[in-house]
Each structure stands twice: as C-alpha cells, then as structure tokens.
Amino acid sequence: MAEIPNIKKRGEIKRIGVLTSGGDAPGMNPAIRAVTRSGIHKGLEVFGVMNGYQGMIEGNIVPLTSDDVSGILQKGGTILKTARSKDFRTEEGRAKAYKNLMKLEIDALVVIGGDGSFMGASIFSKEYDIPVVGIPGTIDNDMYGTEYTLGYDTAMNTVIDAVDKIKDTASSHGRIFFVEVMGREAGLLALSSGIACGAEAIIIPEADEGDKDLQKYLKNYKKKKNSGIVMVAEGDKAGGALKLAERVTSDYPDLDVRVSILGHMQRGGNPTGTDRVIATQMGVAAVEALLDDQKSIMIGYVNSKITHVPFNKTVKANRPIDHDLLDIQKALNKW
Ligand code: F6P
C-alpha cells in the first residue's frame, strides 16, 4: 500500500504548475507561454513540470519566468517535454507526485494533453483535493466537449502539404496512393484532410461509407481519373493503409498501388495561426478558471468561445464523428 501523504488544507492559490502529457501537439508551446505569462500577470508564481506526470513523480520541476517562455510561440513540440507515465497510474506514483508538489508549495496544476492525461488529472485532483484545469492538446481532435484540440489545424495542414506533393507523383505515374494519417481511434484528421485534398475515398474507424466509396471508385477506375488518393486513418477497421492496399492489390492486380504512411511528421511543425491563437486563449482561460476556484475541468472551445467541461464528462466519451462532413464527402464523389 502506498504511504498517503497528509492532504494540505486549501487556501488561496499562489503557485501553479504546468505540464504537457501524452502525445505532443503543435500549440503546446504557445499554451505554456500563455499559462506562464498570464499567471505571472495575475501575481502567481509558475512552475514547469518536466516530462509530464513522470517529472512530477521524480521532482523534476523548474520555476518559469516570462523570459523562459520567450521565443516559443512559433515552435512545435513542447519545451516541457512529454511522456505517457505508467507510474502515475499507481497510488504510489501519485503519492510521490503530491509530495513533490507540496515541497514546492504548488497549489494547483494546468495539464495540457489528451483524454488519458485528463483521466490521471481527474483521479489526482480527487485524491489530493488539488485543483487541476486541463487544456486539450492532441492532433486527433477527438475529445468530447470541445470542437478544438491544440495541434489539429497544424497537423491538417501538414497532411495537406504532403498529399499535394504525393498527388503530383501519383498523377505522373497513374497510381493510386493509400495515404495513412494518424488517429488510432479517431478519424477526424483523415476525414477533414481527405476533404481538403479531394481524396477519392476516406476510410475511418467510425464509419463504413469510405469502404463503399472505395469499392465504387475501384470498379469505375479505368473510366475515370488515372490516379487517386485514398485517405486512411491509422485506426481503420482493415488495419491501416498497408493492409488495405494489399487487399486492393490482390483484388485488382492491374492497378498500380503505392502506400505512404505520414507518421510522426504530423505531430511536428510550427503551429499555425489558429493553433497559436486558440492555445493562447486556452492558456489564459485555464489560469482564470483556477483563480475562479474551478477544479477538475477542461477548457473547451465551442462556437469560437471558451467553455468549461468537467473532466468526468470529457474522459467518458470520444467526440462523435461529424456526419455532415461524411455527407459532404459523399456529395462530392463522382462515382
Ligand atoms: O497524438 C495522438 C496520436 O498521434 C495518435 O493519433 C497516434 O496513434 C498516437 O498519438 C501515436 O502515439 P506515439 O507517438 O506514442 O506512438
């Protein structure tokens, strides 16, 4: 059994910690900058926790000044580094983390990450009565309760840029490219970038329409364009672009098929204007929420406005797929 530290009686918030957790996303740095600068502006002391929850367990926590966050607004990745901490899933790990926060008299936390990170935050906040506010950061844009998660716009533009290039070579050779886009459980990045790239079919885990489009496209292939893009979400039911392309090659041996897995390049790059602005809004809103006595909530973004979503709502479900976008894809198909 873990030795449970005494829980400090809550007073006024004077010191806050900020950390990034889970997969990185462009926009995390602008959010760290906004939390730090707006926190200092409100009279708080701000600390950066390195390597996500793991840094909290290991006591890897550093003070952040306004100067420390200069020049990061335009940078991808996260200056605080990130990790998926297994230790934080244990009572022992969380007890160590709490002790380290108490050593530095840190009263509250801002966690920038995805639903796994908020699940940990929610448990920790309840166990130790410590206010935690989350900022959604994941290129997947799959979190319930928010229309936007940091990194999505940048990642979508990275995919568009890559696919535009792939289309040049696809058309020169008359080839069909299966392009795999990140999204282990979510297809929104594949769906939106597929629409933006004019993909012939978009295969995502949440819907079967893409498979039907693909079959129609392949049957009519010779009569239509002689090259094409099939956008495939990493987590599709067929098991990814490679498997799907293998199946198509065996069914249609005359077709010239290639696969391009875009991979982790989608997680890098300078954040777009949209990511910088929303990250800044969310960072400021997270500090305000803490000072407003909010706890266990995620900062959301709905209808271009900041919202507050309880952790227990956002961690229970994934964002449902946008069926209007699926209908749009159907309406634009030529086969
Ligand atoms: O950031 C979310 C995500 O990009 C998923 O779409 C993807 O499946 C996963 O992270 C990959 O994570 P890792 O870098 O840990 O392999």
Side-chain angles (χ1 to χ4, degrees):
M1 268 296 280
E3 187 207 327
I4 307 294
N6 288 332
I7 298 173
K8 195 184 136 191
K9 210 167 170 317
R10 296 272 135 239
E12 199 190 335
I13 292 177
K14 294 199 178 109
R15 289 183 164 192
I16 62 168
V18 54
L19 63 89
T20 48
S21 165
D24 63 345
M28 283 184 163
N29 276 331
I32 295 165
R33 173 179 176 269
V35 169
T36 306
R37 293 236 170 121
S38 67
I40 292 169
H41 179 73
K42 298 271 184 192
L44 301 174
E45 285 178 74
V46 183
F47 288 75
V49 181
M50 304 302 296
N51 298 324
Y53 293 121
Q54 200 56 34
M56 215 152 86
I57 294 168
E58 290 163 7
N60 193 355
I61 304 172
V62 294
L64 288 177
T65 64
S66 270
D67 284 348
D68 291 328
V69 293
S70 267
I72 68 167
L73 179 66
Q74 69 276 26
K75 295 210 167 115
T78 157
I79 59 158
L80 296 177
K81 316 288 183 199
T82 185
R84 303 188 203 270
S85 171
K86 284 204 184 98
D87 296 342
F88 197 69
R89 294 198 195 139
T90 65
E91 268 183 24
E92 286 85 353
R94 293 193 295 276
K96 278 189 198 157
Y98 181 71
K99 273 191 193 162
N100 285 326
L101 291 187
M102 289 309 101
K103 251 188 234 162
L104 291 168
E105 297 183 21
I106 293 172
D107 315 294
L109 279 178
V110 176
V111 172
I112 308 168
D115 47 4
S117 312
F118 295 166
M119 191 94 79
S122 176
I123 296 168
F124 187 61
S125 172
K126 265 189 221 136
E127 259 172 2
Y128 291 106
D129 187 31
I130 184 158
V132 185
V133 168
I135 294 178
T138 160
I139 64 164
D140 296 343
N141 203 6
D142 60 344
M143 296 198 58
Y144 187 84
T146 183
E147 285 171 5
Y148 199 76
T149 63
L150 301 182
Y152 173 65
D153 187 59
T154 307
M156 181 168 59
N157 280 290
T158 301
V159 174
I160 292 168
D161 200 40
V163 174
D164 285 350
K165 289 175 179 142
I166 291 171
K167 281 176 104 168
D168 290 343
T169 177
S171 114
S172 303
H173 286 265
R175 285 173 170 159
I176 300 176
F177 269 82
F178 287 77
V179 180
E180 188 174 294
V181 172
M182 270 190 168
R184 205 159 24 208
E185 283 154 26
L188 187 58
L189 184 59
L191 179 57
S192 55
S193 48
I195 286 173
C197 295
E200 336 307 319
I202 305 172
I203 318 282
I204 58 173
E206 299 95 331
D208 296 327
E209 279 92 334
D211 239 337
K212 289 179 200 148
D213 287 346
L214 178 61
Q215 290 315 322
K216 274 193 224 156
Y217 167 62
L218 293 171
K219 282 196 183 110
N220 294 290
Y221 181 73
K222 286 264 186 288
K223 288 176 253 160
K224 305 281 175 184
K225 301 200 301 190
N226 77 339
S227 72
I229 298 291
V230 179
M231 206 67 106
V232 186
E234 182 189 1
D236 82 296
K237 289 170 196 146
L242 269 174
K243 291 239 167 76
L244 199 55
E246 264 170 31
R247 204 181 75 196
V248 168
T249 309
S250 96
D251 292 349
Y252 299 86
D254 293 343
L255 296 185
D256 197 359
V257 169
R258 291 289 186 276
V259 175
S260 184
I261 297 175
L262 300 185
H264 284 79
M265 69 181 282
Q266 295 162 90
R267 289 238 294 259
N270 298 350
T272 58
T274 298
D275 269 315
R276 294 181 201 195
V277 173
I278 299 180
T280 305
Q281 286 177 281
M282 286 183 168
V284 171
V287 170
E288 279 171 0
L290 283 176
L291 292 176
D292 216 13
D293 286 337
Q294 303 261 19
K295 55 192 286 189
S296 288
I297 57 147
M298 173 188 83
I299 300 297
Y301 195 76
V302 177
N303 292 329
S304 305
K305 292 266 178 294
I306 290 291
T307 57
H308 295 165
V309 190
F311 276 152
N312 60 7
K313 269 203 173 159
T314 195
V315 299
K316 268 190 200 143
N318 273 350
R319 176 184 173 168
I321 199 72
D322 185 342
H323 282 274
D324 291 346
L325 278 183
L326 283 170
D327 290 345
I328 286 171
Q329 171 66 7
K330 215 183 290 169
L332 295 182
N333 272 343
K334 291 196 279 177
W335 24 89

